[in-house]
Amino acid sequence: MATGLLHLHNLLRWIILVLLLVSIVKAYTGWQSKKEFDAADKKTCLFTMIAGMIAAIVFLTLAHGVAKKNLDSTTKYKKAFYFFVVALVLILAGVPWPFRGIEIARPLFPGM
């Protein structure tokens, strides 16, 4: 069972990173191109928020909350971009990368 949970956790961290990178790109391109913040952008924020780690959830929640506020789209994208970047930094800092030291390091794809 522990091995299965380890595999699930490993898979989820990659899903979270992909979702967060997609969210950052969407927020940045929307902000820079002055695109209207639409329902698809709100869904991307929601899925990213649901998939995040505890420390990063605060910033992902703030990014999702921006989508619900009555602000202009440029401000929404700008704030979402910064919140997503902070969340990405927190997640990357929390990953037990193979180079982090013998006591906390894990392989990128354990057991595979």
Side-chain angles (χ1 to χ4, degrees):
M1 175 133 166
T3 303
L5 288 176
L6 184 63
H7 289 300
L8 179 62
H9 181 265
N10 182 53
L11 177 65
L12 286 176
R13 73 175 167 181
W14 292 110
I15 290 171
I16 291 166
L17 285 174
V18 168
L19 279 171
L20 192 50
L21 289 173
V22 167
S23 295
I24 288 172
V25 169
K26 284 185 73 142
Y28 184 78
T29 57
W31 167 32
Q32 293 302 312
S33 67
K34 301 193 184 317
K35 179 182 167 239
E36 201 60 34
F37 207 92
D38 60 17
D41 296 316
K42 289 179 186 177
K43 285 182 183 177
T44 303
C45 290
L46 177 64
F47 291 138
T48 304
M49 179 189 71
I50 290 169
M53 285 196 254
I54 298 291
I57 284 176
V58 172
F59 290 97
L60 296 174
T61 303
L62 289 171
H64 178 66
V66 166
K68 297 189 296 185
K69 289 192 177 202
N70 192 14
L71 301 170
D72 62 287
S73 291
T74 302
T75 304
K76 285 183 184 184
Y77 280 117
K78 183 178 178 181
K79 287 185 175 192
F81 172 77
Y82 287 121
F83 288 138
F84 284 138
V85 169
V86 170
L88 177 62
V89 169
L90 290 172
I91 289 172
L92 292 175
V95 172
W97 299 105
F99 55 82
R100 290 207 42 198
I102 194 82
E103 54 280 339
I104 62 171
R106 285 196 212 135
L108 288 179
F109 301 102
M112 291 184 190

